[in-house]
Amino acid sequence: MSTASARSVAPAKGKLGVLCVGLGAVASTFIAGVENVRRGRARPHGSLTQLATIRLGKRTEERAPLIKDFVPLAELNDLVFGAWDPLPDNCYQSALHCGVLDKHEHVEPIKDYLQTIVPMPAVFDQYYVKRLEGTNVKPGKSKRAWMEALRQDLRDFKKKNGCDRLVIVWCASTEIFIAPGPQHQTLAAFDKAIDANDPAIAPSMLYAYAAILEGVPFANGAPNLACDVPALEQLAREKGVAIGGKDFKTGQTMIKTVLAPMFKARMLGVAGWYSTNILGNRDGEVLDDPESFKTKEESKLGVLEYILQPKLYPELYGNIFHKVRINYYPPRGDNKEGWDNIDIFGWLGYPMQIKVDFLCRDSILAAPLVLDLALFFDLAQRAKMSGIQEWLSFYFKSPQTAPGLYPEHDLFIQLTKLKNTLRWLMGEEQVTHLGVEYYPYGEK
Ligand SMILES: NC(=O)c1ccc[n+]([C@@H]2O[C@H](COP(=O)([O-])OP(=O)(O)OC[C@H]3O[C@@H](n4cnc5c(N)ncnc54)[C@H](O)[C@@H]3O)[C@@H](O)[C@H]2O)c1
């Protein structure tokens, strides 16, 4: 039985507008996927909010409702979709172009619906994504005017579609690497940099800024900074807006964050980890540019360091050779192949090897994450959980955390964190997995 008190969460009434920055492979697969599910034509595999259960109380109580029956989430039928993209293709054209979903099975039958989702002109500057040329872009060059135009888009979309609430998920291309600088530290410096059209202020930051000012939660699915700067974190807290990122945790990194904790749990050493990918979609093309790849590389490389804690275990993990490569290879389209070669060592230092060959589909892995993030960020907003949503680090390669906190990368710690946060929200006991209460020695 629960003894804790529940947090008050506003009901999920009315429509929730889900706005994707970028209407490429991930966003079109997400939107078309939700519409297929709504029409009973497919199942939402890969989505925790739609399929997962949550254990409540003791194991003997056998209480395990669906997450969506336990916490008040928006219903799929209440979602309204919108997007911005510098390419003018509507969602139908984009889904066909990206070629992730089967044309006859999942695109043509919902053509009329997908055609209605037309991207709004984007805030776009080729300086930040070298391999793209945009025509559907907001005019001018003023970062302040662009940001104000995004705010107006949010108000217009909400009004036009009769939405009660909005949420934004960044599903746009990875921008060039930008290190956090003095321009990002305080709101005053950030505002000054916007007015000076400083290159350190990327379009993703303008979307995030506009979202926070309009009270719209913002989740970042790419590795570029966007809302991951002190100025915007502070603003989000002040304005009571949920933010978080970065970079959807899908293929190779998801596997890494499952295997690495296993090695550490068993005190097996790691000598080297070589990861390489071939990928032929537009994301692969964008990441073929060294400046965009650097942003991705930082995000992918970080996880091992945090999970394996080489400072605590120098003899096991102090000398790892870790390499990550992404190679653009058009014939594969969205069907990425990710290889991992892992050199480990065990008892008395004897070497062993593990090879992983993951023939995955990038956007098929990412689409359910977009859905869960949209629904959970909306939940967080209604629960007045402002600022960084670390409990959603389950979904990210580089989870944003409070200043001074290192992120948790282990997928199963992240899952426990997520579910315990839901229990905390609803006033249920935390599940600690202690378990002595089932044995005589645990009786009080
Ligand atoms: N699919 C995955 O498994 C996965 C995992 C982690 C991260 N991601 C990230 O998600 C993002 C989307 O991936 P994708 O495969 O859909 O790529 P994509 O290239 O198919 O789509 C990205 C879209 O964003 C648009 N865009 C670029 N700059 C924009 C801007 N300033 N405003 C609005 N739109 C803009 C592009 O025109 C394009 O249509 C990428 O950054 C990718 O790195 C994907």
Side-chain angles (χ1 to χ4, degrees), residues 21-27 84-87 94 98 122-125 129 132 170-175 203-204 207 221-224 247-251 281-283 286-287 296 334 336 361-363 365-366 397:
V21 188
L23 189 55
V26 171
W84 295 268
D85 203 295
L87 307 175
S94 176
C98 296
V123 165
F124 179 77
D125 180 342
V129 187
L132 277 187
W170 176 277
C171 302
S173 311
T174 301
E175 296 170 335
S204 60
Y207 283 96
N224 35 250
D247 206 6
F248 301 127
K249 177 148 92 174
T250 51
N281 61 16
R282 200 189 293 131
D283 186 31
V286 166
L287 293 172
K296 196 64 150 186
D334 198 66
K336 176 154 80 182
R361 291 170 189 263
D362 244 17
S363 303
L365 291 170
K397 276 194 203 65

Side-chain angles (χ1 to χ4, degrees), residues 10 76 428:
L76 296 192
E428 286 284 341

Side-chain angles (χ1 to χ4, degrees), residues 396-413:
F396 296 117
K397 276 194 203 65
S398 307
Q400 230 176 301
T401 51
L405 266 190
Y406 68 82
E408 283 293 355
H409 283 286
D410 177 327
L411 189 76
F412 295 104
I413 293 182

Side-chain angles (χ1 to χ4, degrees), residues 170-249:
W170 176 277
C171 302
S173 311
T174 301
E175 296 170 335
I176 58 169
F177 181 74
I178 296 178
Q183 302 93 326
H184 307 115
Q185 299 309 313
T186 64
L187 205 53
F190 194 79
D191 266 325
K192 212 170 143 199
I194 290 184
D195 289 329
N197 288 327
D198 189 319
I201 308 292
S204 60
M205 295 173 192
L206 298 176
Y207 283 96
Y209 194 12
I212 298 168
L213 289 177
E214 292 300 311
V216 175
F218 184 95
N220 176 17
N224 35 250
L225 290 172
C227 57
D228 190 10
V229 292
L232 293 182
E233 281 170 18
Q234 190 201 330
L235 185 70
R237 275 197 311 276
E238 281 170 21
K239 297 270 174 199
V241 180
I243 57 161
K246 322 184 284 270
D247 206 6
F248 301 127
K249 177 148 92 174

Side-chain angles (χ1 to χ4, degrees), residues 7 39 74 97 114 169 188 202 222 257 264 270 311 321 343 352 356 363 369 389 420 437 442:
R7 199 176 160 92
R39 295 192 191 189
H97 172 88
L114 294 179
V169 185
T257 60
K264 195 175 78 177
V270 180
K311 285 207 179 84
F321 188 90
D343 285 287
M352 296 171 264
V356 181
S363 303
L369 273 54
Q389 305 300 306
N420 270 336
E437 63 274 25

Side-chain angles (χ1 to χ4, degrees), residues 344-361:
I344 63 172
F345 53 93
W347 188 240
L348 315 181
Y350 279 78
M352 296 171 264
Q353 291 181 18
I354 296 180
K355 316 269 178 192
V356 181
D357 184 4
F358 189 11
L359 291 115
C360 67
R361 291 170 189 263

